[in-house]
Amino acid sequence: QSALTQPRSVSGSPGQSVTISCTGTSSDVGGYNYVSWYQQHPGKAPKLMIYDVSKRPSGVPDRFSGSKSGNTASLTISGLQAEDEADYYCCSYAGSYTFEGVFGTGTKVTVL
Amino acid sequence: QLQLQESGPGLVKPSETLSLTCTVSGGSISSSSYYWGWIRQPPGKGLEWIGSIYYSGSTYYNPSLKSRVTISVDTSKNQFSLKLSSVTAADTAVYYCARLIVATITFDYWGQGTLVTVSS
């Protein structure tokens, strides 16, 4: 069970859009529509931002959107705001016979 | 509002067993819609799923930790617990408990996390 691959960092100016990729295999990302994304500010617990690839929990701004193509899932933040600067992690279901999960390596989003 | 709170020793000696408890309030741990899980994050590093448990006691563990991990549930106290044996410095991390939605790996509620340091 290897960690999903994310870029170490991405950056953008306020108002711009950034996209974070999350690459796995056909045994995890590519095999199931169960990818979730979490935002983590320094010293805080992660917060759910996207689940089931593209669904947004109540209270999460619609600037956040998710998608998937093949073995790669993506999180897009449109209209970047200062408070979006944080670490972001993807997570995928990874077990066909067991209930296993695997996280991504994490991406630091910097608002310039 | 659902709340989860981790508790347990902040310092554990090498080779000993790390023990943490997560107390759930504002909701029942016996709900058929959710699993309950543990995740950890070493200082400055990423998240790692440790394992999950259903209120019935069914457990699922990260294969890389399976030989050292035990997760249990106490529905009468609305708590679930983590035991990690034979710890080393590599097990130093912030440990989070969280709620998972059944049939997905979606952690929708998280505890604040507790730092456990392994050191003599």
Side-chain angles (χ1 to χ4, degrees):
Chain A
Q1 195 187 67
S2 300
L4 307 176
T5 301
Q6 298 181 230
R8 184 175 295 271
S9 64
V10 299
S11 61
S13 299
Q16 289 187 331
S17 293
V18 296
T19 296
I20 303 166
S21 61
C22 170
T23 301
T25 69
S26 58
S27 296
D28 38 63
V29 175
Y32 312 95
N33 288 322
Y34 295 136
V35 176
S36 50
W37 289 90
Y38 303 87
Q39 176 192 66
Q40 186 180 35
H41 287 110
K44 300 295 186 182
K47 174 187 175 183
L48 177 65
M49 305 301 285
I50 295 287
Y51 67 101
D52 293 356
V53 175
S54 60
K55 297 177 182 177
R56 253 188 332 272
S58 174
V60 172
D62 60 7
R63 303 183 289 104
F64 291 85
S65 62
S67 63
K68 191 186 85 166
S69 177
N71 296 336
T72 299
S74 299
L75 174 71
T76 298
I77 309 173
S78 306
L80 201 60
Q81 298 185 5
E83 59 262 36
D84 299 333
E85 183 162 301
D87 293 324
Y88 291 82
Y89 294 89
C90 61
C91 184
S92 173
Y93 185 79
S96 56
Y97 298 104
T98 64
F99 189 54
E100 295 180 17
V102 58
F103 281 97
T105 50
T107 299
K108 170 69 175 179
V109 170
T110 301
V111 181
L112 301 171
Chain B
Q1 174 77 350
L2 189 78
Q3 292 187 321
L4 295 89
Q5 179 68 57
E6 306 88 351
S7 60
L11 181 64
V12 181
K13 290 182 169 56
S15 79
E16 295 189 345
T17 296
L18 178 160
S19 296
L20 295 174
T21 295
C22 182
T23 301
V24 179
S25 58
S28 174
I29 204 170
S30 299
S31 169
S32 61
S33 300
Y34 305 104
Y35 278 80
W36 305 90
W38 289 97
I39 304 98
R40 69 179 183 179
Q41 184 173 36
K45 296 187 178 181
L47 301 168
E48 180 181 34
W49 172 72
I50 299 172
S52 307
I53 191 166
Y54 197 51
Y55 76 94
S56 63
S58 297
T59 52
Y60 300 96
Y61 300 134
N62 185 324
S64 67
L65 298 170
K66 188 173 183 177
S67 63
R68 298 194 292 130
V69 173
T70 302
I71 297 177
S72 59
V73 63
D74 186 335
T75 55
S76 66
K77 294 182 179 179
N78 230 31
Q79 295 177 333
F80 62 106
S81 299
L82 168 71
K83 290 188 185 298
L84 181 65
S85 64
S86 305
V87 297
T88 68
D91 295 310
T92 294
V94 174
Y95 286 76
Y96 295 99
C97 60
R99 188 179 80 171
L100 293 85
I101 301 173
V102 164
T104 77
I105 291 288
T106 298
F107 301 91
D108 62 346
Y109 280 92
W110 295 66
Q112 65 184 25
T114 186
L115 174 63
V116 179
T117 301
V118 179
S119 175
S120 55

